[in-house]
Each structure stands twice: as structure tokens, then as C-alpha cells.
């Protein structure tokens, strides 16, 4: 690409980014900053953190090496250190239900479409518009692949992410995880769609 509006630059990740992206993902999805309420959980996470990070690094590395399918990892950098990724997302092709959940009686027709996953911004860089820029860059990438829609999942209780997606016109397409929701009280998984 690379595209740089405001102060951030968005570019395709290379194998040199694997370490930084793994840090961002581990920090964002496994570390809980709520020190008092989750003290024990935090101690446990600190212990297993290197293992989690290593596992994420291996997964990322194998996706970077797989040149066969439509796949992209975009990273954002700041001019103060253009080699250090501060946020990232990945795009792949994934089977999704074509019909929205309101039309469930019409059958569950599945088709492959571009799908965003692992969107994460390093905690120190949040609320500066980085995620929004990454998602807009993801749309451009997907358009270059010849598609005009992008899907993603978000957990019902992830309010920051839901606010972000709502703000940039992702709309609810279907709901998943209903059994876990009813039986175990787990948050529903919402499949969102943006058409452009
Ligand atoms: C969700 C996440 C990616 C947002 O990244 P970000 O760079 O802080 O988001 P942006 O600055 O681009 O936010 C754009 C808009 O989204 C909304 N938003 C983002 N974070 C929000 C929050 N914590 N609370 C409320 N609204 C929020 C706001 O409307 C914001 O605009 P504003 O700052 O002008 O009010 C980030 O919090 C994160 O990495 N979370 C942990 C990982 C995660 O949950 N990923 C999503 C998985 S589905």
C-alpha cells in the first residue's frame, strides 16, 4: 500500500512484524488490566504469557508463509518508530451464512467471503483512531480482491469493539453461540457485515 492519513501508516505486515503483532495480540486478548478484581487470573496469565505469545507467533508465522489463499495482515505504525507495529488485523476467506438471522427458515446457505479477525490495538495507542484506519484499509484490500463486503465476529459484551464497528457502519448479520448463551451464560457471538 502503504497509506498514511493522520499520523499513522498502514501497511502489509512482513515476517519481521511477527514478534510485535504477537505481543499486541497476547496483550489485547489474554492480559487483563483489571488488577484488583482479577488478581489471581492476572498472576496465572503472567506465568503462561510467554507460552501464549509463542503459540500465537507460530500460528502467525504459518499464516504468513501460506501463499495459497486470499490472506492479508495489515499493521499500523507511528512515525516515532516505523518498524514497530502498534496495531494489526488479519483478513482471510471464510464460510459465512449468506442469509441474515431473521431469515433462518430459508435455510443456512454458506458462502466464502472476506473476513476480518484478530483486530487489536496496543493498549497504549487506543482511542486515537488507529483501529478505524486499519478497518478502512482492510476494505480497500478486499475491494482489490474483487469483493464488496466484509464480515467479522464480535462478542456481545465487547462494548469498545461494538461501538467502533457501529460507528463505521458494520451491521448485525447473524447471532451465534446461542446454546452457550442459554446454558452457560456466555456472551453471544455476533456476526457483523459491512457492504461497500
Ligand atoms: C476495540 C479496539 C480494536 C479499538 O481500537 P481503537 O484504536 O482504540 O479504536 P479507535 O480509536 O479507532 O475508535 C474509533 C471509535 O470507536 C469507538 N470506540 C473505540 N474504543 C471505544 C471504547 N473503549 N469505548 C467506547 N467507544 C469506543 C469510538 O466511537 C471511537 O471514536 P472516538 O474515539 O472518536 O470516540 C481496541 O480497544 C482493542 O484492541 N481492544 C482489544 C482487542 C479487541 O477487543 N479486538 C476486537 C475483537 S472483535
Amino acid at each position: 500500500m502503504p497509506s498514511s492519513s493522520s499520523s499513522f501508516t498502514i501497511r502489509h505486515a512482513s515476517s519481521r512484524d511477527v514478534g510485535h503483532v504477537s505481543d499486541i495480540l497476547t496483550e489485547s486478548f489474554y492480559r487483563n488490566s483489571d488488577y484488583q478484581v482479577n488478581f489471581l487470573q492476572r498472576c496465572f496469565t503472567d506465568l503462561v504469557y510467554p507460552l501464549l505469545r509463542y503459540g500465537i507467533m507460530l500460528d502467525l508465522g504459518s499464516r504468513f508463509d501460506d501463499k495459497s489463499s486470499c490472506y492479508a495482515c495489515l499493521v499500523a505504525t507511528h512515525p516515532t518508530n516505523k518498524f514497530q507495529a502498534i496495531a494489526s488485523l488479519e483478513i482471510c476467506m471464510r464460510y459465512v451464512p449468506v442469509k441474515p438471522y431473521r431469515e433462518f427458515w430459508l435455510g443456512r446457505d454458506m458462502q466464502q467471503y472476506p473476513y476480518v479477525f484478530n483486530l487489536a490495538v496496543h493498549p497504549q495507542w487506543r482511542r486515537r483512531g488507529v483501529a478505524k484506519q486499519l478497518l478502512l484499509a482492510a476494505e480497500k484490500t478486499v475491494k482489490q480482491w474483487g469483493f464488496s463486503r466484509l464480515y467479522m465476529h464480535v462478542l456481545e459484551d465487547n462494548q469498545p469493539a461494538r461501538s467502533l464497528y457501529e460507528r463505521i457502519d458494520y451491521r448485525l448479520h447473524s447471532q451465534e453461540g446461542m446454546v452457550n448463551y442459554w446454558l452457560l451464560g456466555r456472551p453471544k457471538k455476533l456476526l457483523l457485515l459491512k457492504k461497500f
Side-chain angles (χ1 to χ4, degrees), residues 143-174:
K143 274 186 202 159
Q144 285 163 6
W145 293 353
F147 292 91
S148 57
R149 59 171 72 189
L150 194 45
Y151 288 85
M152 69 169 66
H153 275 112
V154 64
L155 289 179
E156 191 183 24
D157 62 351
N158 189 345
Q159 213 45 60
R162 287 188 66 186
S163 305
L164 163 69
Y165 303 146
E166 174 77 27
R167 177 118 185 234
I168 53 172
D169 299 326
Y170 280 82
R171 297 291 172 245
L172 180 64
H173 183 70
S174 53

PDB file of all heavy atoms in Angstrom, residues 143-174:
ATOM      1  N   LYS A 143     -11.547  -4.808  -1.610  1.00  0.00           N
ATOM      2  CA  LYS A 143     -12.005  -4.322  -2.921  1.00  0.00           C
ATOM      3  C   LYS A 143     -11.032  -4.754  -4.000  1.00  0.00           C
ATOM      4  O   LYS A 143     -11.434  -5.147  -5.090  1.00  0.00           O
ATOM      5  CB  LYS A 143     -12.105  -2.798  -2.912  1.00  0.00           C
ATOM      6  CG  LYS A 143     -13.428  -2.274  -2.390  1.00  0.00           C
ATOM      7  CD  LYS A 143     -13.485  -0.769  -2.549  1.00  0.00           C
ATOM      8  CE  LYS A 143     -14.497  -0.178  -1.590  1.00  0.00           C
ATOM      9  NZ  LYS A 143     -14.291   1.233  -1.319  1.00  0.00           N
ATOM     10  N   GLN A 144      -9.714  -4.703  -3.680  1.00  0.00           N
ATOM     11  CA  GLN A 144      -8.712  -5.138  -4.664  1.00  0.00           C
ATOM     12  C   GLN A 144      -8.856  -6.636  -4.972  1.00  0.00           C
ATOM     13  O   GLN A 144      -8.510  -7.089  -6.053  1.00  0.00           O
ATOM     14  CB  GLN A 144      -7.300  -4.841  -4.158  1.00  0.00           C
ATOM     15  CG  GLN A 144      -6.957  -3.364  -4.260  1.00  0.00           C
ATOM     16  CD  GLN A 144      -5.756  -2.983  -3.394  1.00  0.00           C
ATOM     17  OE1 GLN A 144      -5.086  -3.835  -2.792  1.00  0.00           O
ATOM     18  NE2 GLN A 144      -5.478  -1.692  -3.314  1.00  0.00           N
ATOM     19  N   TRP A 145      -9.355  -7.397  -4.005  1.00  0.00           N
ATOM     20  CA  TRP A 145      -9.600  -8.820  -4.252  1.00  0.00           C
ATOM     21  C   TRP A 145     -10.878  -9.034  -5.063  1.00  0.00           C
ATOM     22  O   TRP A 145     -11.211 -10.156  -5.426  1.00  0.00           O
ATOM     23  CB  TRP A 145      -9.761  -9.579  -2.925  1.00  0.00           C
ATOM     24  CG  TRP A 145      -8.526  -9.658  -2.081  1.00  0.00           C
ATOM     25  CD1 TRP A 145      -7.263  -9.246  -2.413  1.00  0.00           C
ATOM     26  CD2 TRP A 145      -8.435 -10.174  -0.746  1.00  0.00           C
ATOM     27  NE1 TRP A 145      -6.405  -9.477  -1.368  1.00  0.00           N
ATOM     28  CE2 TRP A 145      -7.094 -10.043  -0.328  1.00  0.00           C
ATOM     29  CE3 TRP A 145      -9.361 -10.719   0.144  1.00  0.00           C
ATOM     30  CZ2 TRP A 145      -6.647 -10.447   0.930  1.00  0.00           C
ATOM     31  CZ3 TRP A 145      -8.917 -11.125   1.395  1.00  0.00           C
ATOM     32  CH2 TRP A 145      -7.577 -10.993   1.782  1.00  0.00           C
ATOM     33  N   GLY A 146     -11.655  -7.963  -5.280  1.00  0.00           N
ATOM     34  CA  GLY A 146     -12.877  -8.065  -6.089  1.00  0.00           C
ATOM     35  C   GLY A 146     -14.147  -8.279  -5.280  1.00  0.00           C
ATOM     36  O   GLY A 146     -15.164  -8.712  -5.826  1.00  0.00           O
ATOM     37  N   PHE A 147     -14.123  -7.980  -3.973  1.00  0.00           N
ATOM     38  CA  PHE A 147     -15.316  -8.165  -3.130  1.00  0.00           C
ATOM     39  C   PHE A 147     -15.834  -6.808  -2.645  1.00  0.00           C
ATOM     40  O   PHE A 147     -15.089  -5.824  -2.604  1.00  0.00           O
ATOM     41  CB  PHE A 147     -14.988  -9.031  -1.911  1.00  0.00           C
ATOM     42  CG  PHE A 147     -14.688 -10.453  -2.259  1.00  0.00           C
ATOM     43  CD1 PHE A 147     -13.383 -10.858  -2.515  1.00  0.00           C
ATOM     44  CD2 PHE A 147     -15.714 -11.391  -2.361  1.00  0.00           C
ATOM     45  CE1 PHE A 147     -13.100 -12.175  -2.852  1.00  0.00           C
ATOM     46  CE2 PHE A 147     -15.436 -12.709  -2.692  1.00  0.00           C
ATOM     47  CZ  PHE A 147     -14.122 -13.101  -2.939  1.00  0.00           C
ATOM     48  N   SER A 148     -17.101  -6.792  -2.280  1.00  0.00           N
ATOM     49  CA  SER A 148     -17.680  -5.537  -1.791  1.00  0.00           C
ATOM     50  C   SER A 148     -18.381  -5.753  -0.453  1.00  0.00           C
ATOM     51  O   SER A 148     -19.330  -5.069  -0.124  1.00  0.00           O
ATOM     52  CB  SER A 148     -18.664  -4.983  -2.814  1.00  0.00           C
ATOM     53  OG  SER A 148     -19.642  -5.959  -3.074  1.00  0.00           O
ATOM     54  N   ARG A 149     -17.950  -6.766   0.276  1.00  0.00           N
ATOM     55  CA  ARG A 149     -18.480  -6.961   1.631  1.00  0.00           C
ATOM     56  C   ARG A 149     -17.402  -7.588   2.522  1.00  0.00           C
ATOM     57  O   ARG A 149     -16.519  -8.303   2.049  1.00  0.00           O
ATOM     58  CB  ARG A 149     -19.753  -7.794   1.629  1.00  0.00           C
ATOM     59  CG  ARG A 149     -19.610  -9.166   1.042  1.00  0.00           C
ATOM     60  CD  ARG A 149     -20.849  -9.996   1.264  1.00  0.00           C
ATOM     61  NE  ARG A 149     -21.986  -9.577   0.452  1.00  0.00           N
ATOM     62  CZ  ARG A 149     -23.212 -10.051   0.602  1.00  0.00           C
ATOM     63  NH1 ARG A 149     -23.471 -10.935   1.539  1.00  0.00           N
ATOM     64  NH2 ARG A 149     -24.193  -9.656  -0.175  1.00  0.00           N
ATOM     65  N   LEU A 150     -17.537  -7.290   3.794  1.00  0.00           N
ATOM     66  CA  LEU A 150     -16.545  -7.755   4.758  1.00  0.00           C
ATOM     67  C   LEU A 150     -17.289  -8.181   6.027  1.00  0.00           C
ATOM     68  O   LEU A 150     -18.177  -7.464   6.493  1.00  0.00           O
ATOM     69  CB  LEU A 150     -15.600  -6.578   5.052  1.00  0.00           C
ATOM     70  CG  LEU A 150     -14.277  -6.782   5.750  1.00  0.00           C
ATOM     71  CD1 LEU A 150     -13.493  -7.964   5.214  1.00  0.00           C
ATOM     72  CD2 LEU A 150     -13.442  -5.518   5.601  1.00  0.00           C
ATOM     73  N   TYR A 151     -16.935  -9.359   6.533  1.00  0.00           N
ATOM     74  CA  TYR A 151     -17.597  -9.885   7.734  1.00  0.00           C
ATOM     75  C   TYR A 151     -16.614  -9.891   8.910  1.00  0.00           C
ATOM     76  O   TYR A 151     -15.390  -9.928   8.720  1.00  0.00           O
ATOM     77  CB  TYR A 151     -18.041 -11.328   7.501  1.00  0.00           C
ATOM     78  CG  TYR A 151     -19.214 -11.486   6.569  1.00  0.00           C
ATOM     79  CD1 TYR A 151     -19.023 -11.537   5.192  1.00  0.00           C
ATOM     80  CD2 TYR A 151     -20.509 -11.600   7.054  1.00  0.00           C
ATOM     81  CE1 TYR A 151     -20.102 -11.704   4.318  1.00  0.00           C
ATOM     82  CE2 TYR A 151     -21.595 -11.768   6.199  1.00  0.00           C
ATOM     83  CZ  TYR A 151     -21.378 -11.822   4.839  1.00  0.00           C
ATOM     84  OH  TYR A 151     -22.441 -11.980   3.985  1.00  0.00           O
ATOM     85  N   MET A 152     -17.140  -9.941  10.090  1.00  0.00           N
ATOM     86  CA  MET A 152     -16.316 -10.152  11.290  1.00  0.00           C
ATOM     87  C   MET A 152     -17.206 -10.605  12.449  1.00  0.00           C
ATOM     88  O   MET A 152     -18.424 -10.392  12.410  1.00  0.00           O
ATOM     89  CB  MET A 152     -15.615  -8.861  11.676  1.00  0.00           C
ATOM     90  CG  MET A 152     -16.561  -7.815  12.186  1.00  0.00           C
ATOM     91  SD  MET A 152     -15.699  -6.471  12.917  1.00  0.00           S
ATOM     92  CE  MET A 152     -14.854  -5.782  11.542  1.00  0.00           C
ATOM     93  N   HIS A 153     -16.587 -11.233  13.435  1.00  0.00           N
ATOM     94  CA  HIS A 153     -17.314 -11.605  14.651  1.00  0.00           C
ATOM     95  C   HIS A 153     -16.936 -10.655  15.781  1.00  0.00           C
ATOM     96  O   HIS A 153     -15.803 -10.185  15.847  1.00  0.00           O
ATOM     97  CB  HIS A 153     -16.932 -13.023  15.098  1.00  0.00           C
ATOM     98  CG  HIS A 153     -17.724 -14.096  14.426  1.00  0.00           C
ATOM     99  ND1 HIS A 153     -17.169 -14.983  13.535  1.00  0.00           N
ATOM    100  CD2 HIS A 153     -19.042 -14.416  14.507  1.00  0.00           C
ATOM    101  CE1 HIS A 153     -18.103 -15.817  13.107  1.00  0.00           C
ATOM    102  NE2 HIS A 153     -19.254 -15.495  13.687  1.00  0.00           N
ATOM    103  N   VAL A 154     -17.880 -10.413  16.653  1.00  0.00           N
ATOM    104  CA  VAL A 154     -17.569  -9.681  17.885  1.00  0.00           C
ATOM    105  C   VAL A 154     -18.412 -10.301  18.999  1.00  0.00           C
ATOM    106  O   VAL A 154     -19.547 -10.719  18.764  1.00  0.00           O
ATOM    107  CB  VAL A 154     -17.858  -8.162  17.725  1.00  0.00           C
ATOM    108  CG1 VAL A 154     -19.339  -7.875  17.495  1.00  0.00           C
ATOM    109  CG2 VAL A 154     -17.358  -7.375  18.934  1.00  0.00           C
ATOM    110  N   LEU A 155     -17.824 -10.373  20.192  1.00  0.00           N
ATOM    111  CA  LEU A 155     -18.597 -10.891  21.325  1.00  0.00           C
ATOM    112  C   LEU A 155     -19.560  -9.808  21.801  1.00  0.00           C
ATOM    113  O   LEU A 155     -19.216  -8.617  21.818  1.00  0.00           O
ATOM    114  CB  LEU A 155     -17.663 -11.318  22.461  1.00  0.00           C
ATOM    115  CG  LEU A 155     -16.841 -12.583  22.204  1.00  0.00           C
ATOM    116  CD1 LEU A 155     -15.941 -12.873  23.388  1.00  0.00           C
ATOM    117  CD2 LEU A 155     -17.745 -13.777  21.907  1.00  0.00           C
ATOM    118  N   GLU A 156     -20.734 -10.275  22.188  1.00  0.00           N
ATOM    119  CA  GLU A 156     -21.790  -9.340  22.581  1.00  0.00           C
ATOM    120  C   GLU A 156     -21.339  -8.368  23.677  1.00  0.00           C
ATOM    121  O   GLU A 156     -21.749  -7.217  23.709  1.00  0.00           O
ATOM    122  CB  GLU A 156     -22.970 -10.174  23.087  1.00  0.00           C
ATOM    123  CG  GLU A 156     -24.227  -9.414  23.287  1.00  0.00           C
ATOM    124  CD  GLU A 156     -25.313 -10.317  23.854  1.00  0.00           C
ATOM    125  OE1 GLU A 156     -24.990 -11.340  24.492  1.00  0.00           O
ATOM    126  OE2 GLU A 156     -26.486  -9.982  23.662  1.00  0.00           O
ATOM    127  N   ASP A 157     -20.448  -8.848  24.592  1.00  0.00           N
ATOM    128  CA  ASP A 157     -20.062  -7.998  25.717  1.00  0.00           C
ATOM    129  C   ASP A 157     -18.799  -7.157  25.453  1.00  0.00           C
ATOM    130  O   ASP A 157     -18.286  -6.517  26.358  1.00  0.00           O
ATOM    131  CB  ASP A 157     -19.873  -8.845  26.986  1.00  0.00           C
ATOM    132  CG  ASP A 157     -18.753  -9.869  26.842  1.00  0.00           C
ATOM    133  OD1 ASP A 157     -18.233 -10.035  25.717  1.00  0.00           O
ATOM    134  OD2 ASP A 157     -18.404 -10.511  27.849  1.00  0.00           O
ATOM    135  N   ASN A 158     -18.311  -7.152  24.218  1.00  0.00           N
ATOM    136  CA  ASN A 158     -17.112  -6.346  23.897  1.00  0.00           C
ATOM    137  C   ASN A 158     -17.573  -4.957  23.443  1.00  0.00           C
ATOM    138  O   ASN A 158     -17.628  -4.642  22.249  1.00  0.00           O
ATOM    139  CB  ASN A 158     -16.283  -7.044  22.813  1.00  0.00           C
ATOM    140  CG  ASN A 158     -14.943  -6.371  22.602  1.00  0.00           C
ATOM    141  OD1 ASN A 158     -14.727  -5.238  23.054  1.00  0.00           O
ATOM    142  ND2 ASN A 158     -14.034  -7.039  21.920  1.00  0.00           N
ATOM    143  N   GLN A 159     -17.905  -4.124  24.417  1.00  0.00           N
ATOM    144  CA  GLN A 159     -18.525  -2.827  24.118  1.00  0.00           C
ATOM    145  C   GLN A 159     -17.619  -1.884  23.312  1.00  0.00           C
ATOM    146  O   GLN A 159     -18.088  -1.243  22.374  1.00  0.00           O
ATOM    147  CB  GLN A 159     -19.001  -2.158  25.415  1.00  0.00           C
ATOM    148  CG  GLN A 159     -20.251  -1.317  25.239  1.00  0.00           C
ATOM    149  CD  GLN A 159     -21.351  -1.994  24.412  1.00  0.00           C
ATOM    150  OE1 GLN A 159     -21.838  -3.047  24.789  1.00  0.00           O
ATOM    151  NE2 GLN A 159     -21.743  -1.412  23.278  1.00  0.00           N
ATOM    152  N   PRO A 160     -16.292  -1.794  23.655  1.00  0.00           N
ATOM    153  CA  PRO A 160     -15.441  -0.911  22.844  1.00  0.00           C
ATOM    154  C   PRO A 160     -15.462  -1.286  21.359  1.00  0.00           C
ATOM    155  O   PRO A 160     -15.643  -0.427  20.494  1.00  0.00           O
ATOM    156  CB  PRO A 160     -14.041  -1.118  23.439  1.00  0.00           C
ATOM    157  CG  PRO A 160     -14.283  -1.551  24.840  1.00  0.00           C
ATOM    158  CD  PRO A 160     -15.550  -2.355  24.804  1.00  0.00           C
ATOM    159  N   ALA A 161     -15.309  -2.589  21.094  1.00  0.00           N
ATOM    160  CA  ALA A 161     -15.280  -3.027  19.696  1.00  0.00           C
ATOM    161  C   ALA A 161     -16.639  -2.803  19.030  1.00  0.00           C
ATOM    162  O   ALA A 161     -16.717  -2.343  17.884  1.00  0.00           O
ATOM    163  CB  ALA A 161     -14.881  -4.499  19.617  1.00  0.00           C
ATOM    164  N   ARG A 162     -17.726  -3.074  19.760  1.00  0.00           N
ATOM    165  CA  ARG A 162     -19.050  -2.887  19.159  1.00  0.00           C
ATOM    166  C   ARG A 162     -19.302  -1.417  18.817  1.00  0.00           C
ATOM    167  O   ARG A 162     -19.888  -1.098  17.791  1.00  0.00           O
ATOM    168  CB  ARG A 162     -20.130  -3.428  20.103  1.00  0.00           C
ATOM    169  CG  ARG A 162     -20.113  -4.956  20.119  1.00  0.00           C
ATOM    170  CD  ARG A 162     -21.280  -5.500  20.894  1.00  0.00           C
ATOM    171  NE  ARG A 162     -22.552  -5.198  20.242  1.00  0.00           N
ATOM    172  CZ  ARG A 162     -23.726  -5.469  20.781  1.00  0.00           C
ATOM    173  NH1 ARG A 162     -23.787  -6.035  21.970  1.00  0.00           N
ATOM    174  NH2 ARG A 162     -24.839  -5.178  20.135  1.00  0.00           N
ATOM    175  N   SER A 163     -18.832  -0.514  19.705  1.00  0.00           N
ATOM    176  CA  SER A 163     -19.006   0.921  19.425  1.00  0.00           C
ATOM    177  C   SER A 163     -18.245   1.310  18.160  1.00  0.00           C
ATOM    178  O   SER A 163     -18.750   2.062  17.319  1.00  0.00           O
ATOM    179  CB  SER A 163     -18.465   1.785  20.555  1.00  0.00           C
ATOM    180  OG  SER A 163     -19.033   1.430  21.755  1.00  0.00           O
ATOM    181  N   LEU A 164     -17.034   0.771  18.060  1.00  0.00           N
ATOM    182  CA  LEU A 164     -16.221   1.070  16.876  1.00  0.00           C
ATOM    183  C   LEU A 164     -16.919   0.590  15.605  1.00  0.00           C
ATOM    184  O   LEU A 164     -17.062   1.347  14.629  1.00  0.00           O
ATOM    185  CB  LEU A 164     -14.851   0.377  17.030  1.00  0.00           C
ATOM    186  CG  LEU A 164     -13.999   0.217  15.788  1.00  0.00           C
ATOM    187  CD1 LEU A 164     -13.488   1.576  15.304  1.00  0.00           C
ATOM    188  CD2 LEU A 164     -12.807  -0.701  16.071  1.00  0.00           C
ATOM    189  N   TYR A 165     -17.384  -0.661  15.596  1.00  0.00           N
ATOM    190  CA  TYR A 165     -17.979  -1.225  14.379  1.00  0.00           C
ATOM    191  C   TYR A 165     -19.277  -0.511  14.008  1.00  0.00           C
ATOM    192  O   TYR A 165     -19.558  -0.271  12.836  1.00  0.00           O
ATOM    193  CB  TYR A 165     -18.236  -2.727  14.552  1.00  0.00           C
ATOM    194  CG  TYR A 165     -16.983  -3.516  14.908  1.00  0.00           C
ATOM    195  CD1 TYR A 165     -17.041  -4.626  15.737  1.00  0.00           C
ATOM    196  CD2 TYR A 165     -15.738  -3.127  14.422  1.00  0.00           C
ATOM    197  CE1 TYR A 165     -15.893  -5.339  16.067  1.00  0.00           C
ATOM    198  CE2 TYR A 165     -14.591  -3.838  14.750  1.00  0.00           C
ATOM    199  CZ  TYR A 165     -14.679  -4.933  15.580  1.00  0.00           C
ATOM    200  OH  TYR A 165     -13.544  -5.628  15.906  1.00  0.00           O
ATOM    201  N   GLU A 166     -20.048  -0.188  15.030  1.00  0.00           N
ATOM    202  CA  GLU A 166     -21.299   0.542  14.803  1.00  0.00           C
ATOM    203  C   GLU A 166     -20.993   1.888  14.124  1.00  0.00           C
ATOM    204  O   GLU A 166     -21.639   2.295  13.172  1.00  0.00           O
ATOM    205  CB  GLU A 166     -21.964   0.772  16.172  1.00  0.00           C
ATOM    206  CG  GLU A 166     -23.198   1.641  16.175  1.00  0.00           C
ATOM    207  CD  GLU A 166     -24.416   0.886  15.679  1.00  0.00           C
ATOM    208  OE1 GLU A 166     -24.426  -0.347  15.821  1.00  0.00           O
ATOM    209  OE2 GLU A 166     -25.332   1.549  15.149  1.00  0.00           O
ATOM    210  N   ARG A 167     -19.927   2.516  14.637  1.00  0.00           N
ATOM    211  CA  ARG A 167     -19.555   3.853  14.148  1.00  0.00           C
ATOM    212  C   ARG A 167     -19.164   3.832  12.671  1.00  0.00           C
ATOM    213  O   ARG A 167     -19.379   4.793  11.946  1.00  0.00           O
ATOM    214  CB  ARG A 167     -18.394   4.343  15.010  1.00  0.00           C
ATOM    215  CG  ARG A 167     -17.831   5.649  14.635  1.00  0.00           C
ATOM    216  CD  ARG A 167     -18.005   6.645  15.753  1.00  0.00           C
ATOM    217  NE  ARG A 167     -17.551   7.948  15.316  1.00  0.00           N
ATOM    218  CZ  ARG A 167     -16.673   8.676  15.949  1.00  0.00           C
ATOM    219  NH1 ARG A 167     -16.173   8.262  17.077  1.00  0.00           N
ATOM    220  NH2 ARG A 167     -16.314   9.829  15.470  1.00  0.00           N
ATOM    221  N   ILE A 168     -18.566   2.711  12.224  1.00  0.00           N
ATOM    222  CA  ILE A 168     -18.154   2.684  10.818  1.00  0.00           C
ATOM    223  C   ILE A 168     -19.020   1.722   9.987  1.00  0.00           C
ATOM    224  O   ILE A 168     -18.570   1.119   9.021  1.00  0.00           O
ATOM    225  CB  ILE A 168     -16.651   2.376  10.654  1.00  0.00           C
ATOM    226  CG1 ILE A 168     -16.262   1.096  11.388  1.00  0.00           C
ATOM    227  CG2 ILE A 168     -15.801   3.528  11.124  1.00  0.00           C
ATOM    228  CD1 ILE A 168     -14.837   0.667  11.080  1.00  0.00           C
ATOM    229  N   ASP A 169     -20.283   1.620  10.428  1.00  0.00           N
ATOM    230  CA  ASP A 169     -21.346   1.020   9.607  1.00  0.00           C
ATOM    231  C   ASP A 169     -21.304  -0.500   9.436  1.00  0.00           C
ATOM    232  O   ASP A 169     -21.766  -1.010   8.412  1.00  0.00           O
ATOM    233  CB  ASP A 169     -21.398   1.688   8.225  1.00  0.00           C
ATOM    234  CG  ASP A 169     -21.708   3.159   8.355  1.00  0.00           C
ATOM    235  OD1 ASP A 169     -22.465   3.514   9.273  1.00  0.00           O
ATOM    236  OD2 ASP A 169     -21.170   3.959   7.552  1.00  0.00           O
ATOM    237  N   TYR A 170     -20.713  -1.215  10.388  1.00  0.00           N
ATOM    238  CA  TYR A 170     -20.903  -2.665  10.381  1.00  0.00           C
ATOM    239  C   TYR A 170     -22.246  -2.951  11.037  1.00  0.00           C
ATOM    240  O   TYR A 170     -22.571  -2.348  12.057  1.00  0.00           O
ATOM    241  CB  TYR A 170     -19.781  -3.369  11.165  1.00  0.00           C
ATOM    242  CG  TYR A 170     -18.528  -3.505  10.351  1.00  0.00           C
ATOM    243  CD1 TYR A 170     -17.636  -2.438  10.252  1.00  0.00           C
ATOM    244  CD2 TYR A 170     -18.249  -4.669   9.657  1.00  0.00           C
ATOM    245  CE1 TYR A 170     -16.490  -2.535   9.479  1.00  0.00           C
ATOM    246  CE2 TYR A 170     -17.105  -4.780   8.889  1.00  0.00           C
ATOM    247  CZ  TYR A 170     -16.235  -3.711   8.809  1.00  0.00           C
ATOM    248  OH  TYR A 170     -15.113  -3.817   8.037  1.00  0.00           O
ATOM    249  N   ARG A 171     -23.017  -3.839  10.423  1.00  0.00           N
ATOM    250  CA  ARG A 171     -24.363  -4.124  10.925  1.00  0.00           C
ATOM    251  C   ARG A 171     -24.502  -5.601  11.286  1.00  0.00           C
ATOM    252  O   ARG A 171     -23.854  -6.453  10.680  1.00  0.00           O
ATOM    253  CB  ARG A 171     -25.406  -3.761   9.851  1.00  0.00           C
ATOM    254  CG  ARG A 171     -25.414  -2.278   9.499  1.00  0.00           C
ATOM    255  CD  ARG A 171     -25.940  -1.411  10.667  1.00  0.00           C
ATOM    256  NE  ARG A 171     -25.777   0.006  10.398  1.00  0.00           N
ATOM    257  CZ  ARG A 171     -24.984   0.840  11.075  1.00  0.00           C
ATOM    258  NH1 ARG A 171     -24.270   0.398  12.097  1.00  0.00           N
ATOM    259  NH2 ARG A 171     -24.886   2.121  10.762  1.00  0.00           N
ATOM    260  N   LEU A 172     -25.398  -5.872  12.244  1.00  0.00           N
ATOM    261  CA  LEU A 172     -25.613  -7.254  12.692  1.00  0.00           C
ATOM    262  C   LEU A 172     -26.154  -8.098  11.544  1.00  0.00           C
ATOM    263  O   LEU A 172     -27.147  -7.733  10.911  1.00  0.00           O
ATOM    264  CB  LEU A 172     -26.610  -7.265  13.859  1.00  0.00           C
ATOM    265  CG  LEU A 172     -26.916  -8.639  14.423  1.00  0.00           C
ATOM    266  CD1 LEU A 172     -25.676  -9.275  15.030  1.00  0.00           C
ATOM    267  CD2 LEU A 172     -28.027  -8.557  15.454  1.00  0.00           C
ATOM    268  N   HIS A 173     -25.476  -9.231  11.301  1.00  0.00           N
ATOM    269  CA  HIS A 173     -25.933 -10.131  10.239  1.00  0.00           C
ATOM    270  C   HIS A 173     -26.562 -11.386  10.839  1.00  0.00           C
ATOM    271  O   HIS A 173     -27.617 -11.814  10.409  1.00  0.00           O
ATOM    272  CB  HIS A 173     -24.745 -10.513   9.351  1.00  0.00           C
ATOM    273  CG  HIS A 173     -25.128 -11.384   8.201  1.00  0.00           C
ATOM    274  ND1 HIS A 173     -25.872 -10.930   7.150  1.00  0.00           N
ATOM    275  CD2 HIS A 173     -24.895 -12.698   7.961  1.00  0.00           C
ATOM    276  CE1 HIS A 173     -26.073 -11.914   6.288  1.00  0.00           C
ATOM    277  NE2 HIS A 173     -25.499 -12.999   6.768  1.00  0.00           N
ATOM    278  N   SER A 174     -25.885 -11.986  11.826  1.00  0.00           N
ATOM    279  CA  SER A 174     -26.487 -13.134  12.493  1.00  0.00           C
ATOM    280  C   SER A 174     -25.860 -13.331  13.876  1.00  0.00           C
ATOM    281  O   SER A 174     -24.834 -12.730  14.179  1.00  0.00           O
ATOM    282  CB  SER A 174     -26.347 -14.408  11.648  1.00  0.00           C
ATOM    283  OG  SER A 174     -25.013 -14.589  11.306  1.00  0.00           O
TER     284      SER A 174
END
